[in-house]
Amino acid sequence: RKQDYEKTYELFNQAAKLIGKSTTTGYNFDNLSRLFLSDLVEICLILNKRDEALHYINELAVASSGARKFSSKVISKLEVARVFELKARYFMLQKDYKKAREYLNRADWYNPTKVAVSDVKFKLIKTRGLLEWYENHPEKATAAFESLVREYRDHIAHNFAAMTEYEKEQFYFSLKEDFDLFNAYVLDQQGDSAVSLREEMFNNVLNTKALLLNETNRQKNRILEQGDAAVIAQLHEWEDSKARLAAQYYEKSDLTKVDALEKRIDALEKELSKASGLFGKKEAALTWQQIKGKLGPKEAAMEVVRVRLARKGSLNLTDSVVYAALLLTSQMQAPQLFVLGNGNQLEKHFLLYYRNAILSRSDDRLSYDQFWLPIKRQLNGVQRLYLSRDGVYNQINLNTLQNTATDQFVIDEMDLVYLTNTSDLLNERSEKITEDAVLVGRPTYDFEGTGKNNTDNRFGYGTRNLIGEELQSFKEQEFEDLPATETEVSLIEPILKKRNLKVKIYMGDEALEENVKAIRHPAILHIATHGFFVEDTASIVSPMIRSGIILAGVKNSQQNQGGDDGILTAYEAT
C-alpha cells in the first residue's frame, strides 16, 4: 500500500522460503499458494521482472489445475481466467500485443457469466482498456474504461451497504487505484469522446469521494428515522464497541480483546445493514446534472482531482502528478476540465515555500499565483465557488493567499465554500443548526485533572496506553503551550457576539476531550490546539487512530479513570 514494492518483493521471497519448509498436515496449501503466487506475479509485473513473472504465472497455473481442487466448476473457471489475464498483462509488458489479446480473449471465455462481481472481472475489463489504449483504438479503449467505472459504481449501488467497514476499506483500495488509471486515461483524450469521459470523471468523484464516511452516515440516519428501538439499541452498541476498539488499540497487552471486539463489530454491521433497509437495495448513482441544478446564476462547483499520469506501454502509473479541475456552472452544457500541470512542483517546492512563509512570518509572494490564479482565471462572473479539494489543496488555506498585485486576499475576492464532495450540495439539512458558537483554545496539557472519577462512563474502559514505539514516544513528548490561541479566542468572541450568536468558551482546564465530544450542532465550532499524525512504520494501526487533536490533561491522563485522555482521534470523531 505504501508502494515500496522492492521491500514487498523481498518479504515475499522470505515468505516463499518459509512456505517451502512447512510440512503441517491438514492445511490447504494449494489455496495459500494460489493467493501467494497471484500477489507475487502482480509484484513482479510492477517491478518489470518479466522472467520471474512468467515463472510464477506458470506455477500458479499448476496450483490451479487438477481435479477436485475447487468446490465448484464456476470457481475453477474463475481461477483459469485469472491465470490467462495475468499472461495477457505479461505479454503487454513484452509489447507482444497480439499474444496479449489472444490470452485476454481466452480469459474472457473462461470468466463465468454467473458471477456478477469478482476481482477477476474488474481486472479483465481494465486490462482490455489498457490493451486498446496501447494499440491506439480510442473508441474501444473508451468503451472499456467507461464499462470499468460503471461496473464499480453498480457494485457500490448493489452491495456496498451490506459490507462490513473492513470489507468496504479493502474494496475502496482497489477502486481508488483503478479510478486513478481512468483519470489518467481521460486526461490523455481529445475530441468528442473526451466530453463524455469528463462527465464520467465528475460522476465518479460524486459517487466515490468520502464514500466510506458517507455510507456510514447514510445507514445511521436511516436507522434513526425508522425509530425501531431494538435496532437503535444495536446501533448504540455498535458505536460504543467502536469507541472501545479505538481505546483497545492503545493498550499494549490484550490482543484477544481487540479480536473479540472486531468480530462483534463485524456481526453488528451485518445486522444493521439488513435492518436499515439499505441491504440489497440499489441506490441511484449521483450525476453532475444534479449538482448543476443546485447552482445559482453566479455560483460554480469545482472538483479538484489529483492525477498520476500514465505512460503508454507501462502497466503502472508514473510519479508525475497533475491537478485536474472539473468546473460546473448552471449555464454549462457539460463539466469543463482544465489542468494544472505542475503538480510535482506544487507538492514539493511551493507547499514548502507556503509553510516556510507562515513559520517565518514573511510575505508570501508566490502561493497566490501558483495555487489560486490558474483557478481564478476560469471563474469569470463567479461570485461563490463550492470547492472540493484533493492532494496538496487539502494542505493549504486558499482564503489566506494574497494577491500581490492588489494586496487583497482570496477571501476578499470571492465567497469560497469548502465541501468534502460537491455532492454535499444535494444534502438537505436534517439537523437544526443552533445559533451557538463554541470556541476551544489554549488547553492546559499537563493539568492534574478535575478530581472526578468520570462515573458517567458509557464505554467502561480505563486508561489508554499507546502501542508501539512511535505512539508511545508521541504521548511522552512535551506539548508546547499555545498562548496565542487564547488571544485568538478572545478576539473572536466579541465579533461573534455582535452577530447575536451565543458564545461558549472552553479554555485551559476546561478544554477537555469530554467537553468537545458533548458539543452538538453549533453554527460555528473553532478549535485552536495541536493536531497530530503519528507515523507508524509497521502499518499496524489505522491512520484514523494515529491522527487527531490534543486537548487538556493529555500529560496526566492516567489520573482520569474514564475513556477520555486528552487525545481526540479521527476515529473517535467519526
Side-chain angles (χ1 to χ4, degrees):
R1 294 253 169 87
K2 289 185 173 182
Q3 296 173 345
D4 187 348
Y5 298 117
E6 292 287 356
K7 184 67 176 175
T8 310
Y9 174 77
E10 176 190 323
L11 291 168
F12 261 75
N13 276 286
Q14 288 181 29
K17 293 174 184 176
L18 294 172
I19 292 172
K21 292 177 181 177
S22 299
T23 56
T24 307
T25 56
Y27 188 84
N28 188 348
F29 273 99
D30 271 349
N31 187 52
L32 175 65
S33 294
R34 283 191 294 272
L35 293 169
F36 176 80
L37 288 167
S38 180
D39 283 348
L40 191 47
V41 173
E42 297 283 0
I43 294 162
C44 289
L45 289 174
I46 288 169
L47 293 173
N48 203 24
K49 296 178 182 291
R50 301 177 198 179
D51 293 343
E52 285 187 61
L54 183 60
H55 171 74
Y56 293 126
I57 289 171
N58 292 333
E59 282 197 13
L60 178 62
V62 171
S64 300
S65 63
R68 293 193 291 271
K69 282 200 174 181
F70 299 99
S71 58
S72 71
K73 286 184 178 178
V74 170
I75 297 175
S76 176
K77 284 187 172 183
L78 200 62
E79 288 306 305
V80 175
R82 185 191 305 279
V83 172
F84 283 146
E85 187 277 329
L86 288 169
K87 275 211 168 180
R89 271 192 282 155
Y90 164 77
F91 282 111
M92 282 174 65
L93 262 187
Q94 300 280 61
K95 295 187 170 47
D96 187 344
Y97 296 133
K98 183 180 178 182
K99 271 278 182 68
R101 189 174 296 278
E102 178 187 324
Y103 277 105
L104 195 56
N105 289 339
R106 287 191 201 177
D108 276 332
W109 191 87
Y110 274 98
N111 186 41
T113 54
K114 291 180 181 179
V115 180
V117 176
S118 70
D119 65 321
V120 174
K121 182 178 182 179
F122 287 128
K123 285 177 179 177
L124 282 172
I125 301 172
K126 181 172 76 170
T127 303
R128 177 75 63 186
L130 284 169
L131 182 58
E132 301 295 359
W133 185 15
Y134 296 165
E135 289 211 274
N136 296 312
H137 301 147
E139 289 184 7
K140 291 180 179 179
T142 295
F145 279 118
E146 287 183 337
S147 172
L148 178 65
V149 297
R150 286 170 185 165
E151 285 283 347
Y152 269 118
R153 293 210 302 261
D154 195 53
H155 182 53
I156 291 167
H158 276 102
N159 305 306
F160 200 70
M163 297 181 193
T164 66
E165 286 209 337
Y166 176 77
E167 290 167 343
K168 288 172 184 172
E169 284 182 13
Q170 300 310 304
F171 172 73
Y172 186 76
F173 275 116
S174 298
L175 173 150
K176 178 74 169 62
E177 186 173 315
D178 288 355
F179 276 30
D180 284 349
L181 176 63
F182 174 80
N183 293 338
Y185 175 74
V186 173
L187 296 194
D188 189 60
Q189 302 309 299
Q190 304 293 328
D192 294 340
S193 66
V195 176
S196 66
L197 286 167
R198 291 166 190 172
E199 292 174 334
E200 290 290 355
M201 187 174 174
F202 205 121
N203 292 342
N204 289 342
V205 177
L206 293 178
N207 288 284
T208 62
K209 192 175 183 182
L211 177 65
L212 300 176
L213 180 60
N214 289 344
E215 181 63 27
T216 299
N217 289 340
R218 189 166 70 96
Q219 192 175 60
K220 180 177 174 179
N221 290 338
R222 180 70 63 89
I223 289 168
L224 294 175
E225 286 166 7
Q226 289 171 343
D228 185 319
V231 179
I232 291 172
Q234 277 190 322
L235 175 66
H236 288 155
E237 184 190 348
W238 174 75
E239 291 180 321
D240 292 356
S241 297
K242 287 192 66 166
R244 283 201 301 276
L245 182 62
Q248 294 294 349
Y249 276 129
Y250 282 78
E251 290 189 2
K252 286 183 280 186
S253 53
D254 200 346
L255 293 177
T256 57
K257 288 183 181 178
V258 171
D259 189 49
L261 270 173
E262 286 178 341
K263 287 178 180 175
R264 178 57 184 155
I265 288 168
D266 280 354
L268 284 167
E269 284 169 359
K270 293 287 189 185
E271 292 169 24
L272 290 169
S273 291
K274 293 177 183 178
S276 68
L278 299 175
F279 178 71
K281 177 183 176 182
K282 181 176 179 179
E283 294 289 326
L286 301 176
T287 66
W288 64 267
Q289 289 93 336
Q290 292 171 275
I291 308 303
K292 176 182 172 179
K294 289 290 183 179
L295 297 173
K298 295 186 177 181
E299 294 181 335
M302 181 182 288
E303 289 285 354
V304 173
V305 183
R306 183 182 188 269
V307 180
R308 287 170 59 207
L309 297 179
R311 184 174 57 251
K312 276 192 177 183
S314 170
L315 299 181
N316 309 302
L317 296 171
T318 69
D319 293 329
S320 297
V321 174
V322 299
Y323 280 83
L326 292 158
L327 177 65
L328 192 61
T329 68
S330 58
Q331 294 83 33
M332 289 179 181
Q333 298 305 307
Q336 290 183 1
L337 183 145
F338 62 96
V339 176
L340 286 73
N342 62 336
N344 292 90
Q345 280 188 303
L346 291 177
E347 293 181 355
K348 295 175 181 175
H349 176 70
F350 292 112
L351 177 62
L352 185 62
Y353 174 88
Y354 165 83
R355 289 175 171 168
N356 286 340
I358 293 171
L359 291 170
S360 62
R361 302 188 182 189
S362 58
D363 288 341
D364 185 338
R365 313 297 296 180
L366 295 177
S367 295
Y368 181 97
D369 288 352
Q370 294 298 326
F371 290 103
W372 176 245
L373 191 57
I375 294 174
K376 182 187 175 184
R377 285 174 177 152
Q378 308 294 324
L379 301 176
N380 293 330
V382 174
Q383 294 180 357
R384 172 176 291 169
L385 176 64
Y386 296 103
L387 180 65
S388 170
R389 300 173 291 169
D390 195 11
V392 72
Y393 279 88
N394 279 315
Q395 301 182 61
I396 62 171
N397 184 350
L398 287 171
N399 273 314
T400 66
L401 305 186
Q402 189 174 22
N403 185 340
T404 54
T406 64
D407 287 335
Q408 282 194 313
F409 294 91
V410 173
I411 198 171
D412 302 316
E413 296 178 341
M414 182 170 292
D415 185 9
L416 187 58
V417 182
Y418 288 145
L419 301 176
T420 304
N421 184 327
T422 51
S423 66
D424 293 347
L425 290 170
L426 305 176
N427 297 336
E428 300 295 333
R429 288 192 178 276
S430 57
E431 301 280 3
K432 186 182 183 304
I433 302 297
T434 68
E435 288 303 308
D436 296 345
V438 181
L439 310 179
V440 182
R442 199 180 185 182
T444 308
Y445 300 119
D446 60 353
F447 91 105
E448 295 297 322
T450 59
K452 63 182 179 181
N453 199 25
N454 199 357
T455 54
D456 182 25
N457 178 17
R458 292 166 59 209
F459 306 131
Y461 54 83
T463 309
R464 297 192 302 196
N465 295 309
L466 297 164
I467 81 166
E469 289 182 11
E470 294 94 343
L471 291 171
Q472 196 163 2
S473 62
F474 159 73
K475 180 92 178 213
E476 291 168 356
Q477 70 177 291
E478 291 296 324
F479 296 101
E480 185 181 354
D481 183 28
L482 300 173
T485 63
E486 182 174 355
T487 307
E488 197 172 296
V489 168
S490 65
L491 288 170
I492 293 170
E493 181 186 15
I495 296 171
L496 296 181
K497 284 185 173 177
K498 282 182 183 177
R499 303 288 180 93
N500 296 318
L501 269 74
K502 298 175 184 175
V503 181
K504 175 68 178 174
I505 293 177
Y506 292 117
M507 194 93 73
D509 295 1
E510 292 188 334
L512 292 163
E513 183 183 356
E514 63 194 71
N515 288 338
V516 172
K517 285 180 175 177
I519 297 166
R520 293 290 180 270
H521 310 297
I524 294 173
L525 172 60
H526 179 91
I527 303 177
T529 183
H530 290 298
F532 70 91
F533 179 79
V534 180
E535 288 290 346
D536 177 17
T537 53
S539 297
I540 300 168
V541 185
S542 163
M544 296 287 279
I545 302 291
R546 294 183 277 113
S547 57
I549 59 173
I550 303 299
L551 293 162
V554 64
K555 293 293 288 182
N556 304 87
S557 58
Q558 68 273 12
Q559 297 188 11
N560 181 353
Q561 296 303 306
D564 297 331
D565 61 358
I567 300 175
L568 178 60
T569 66
Y571 190 92
E572 291 172 293
T574 60

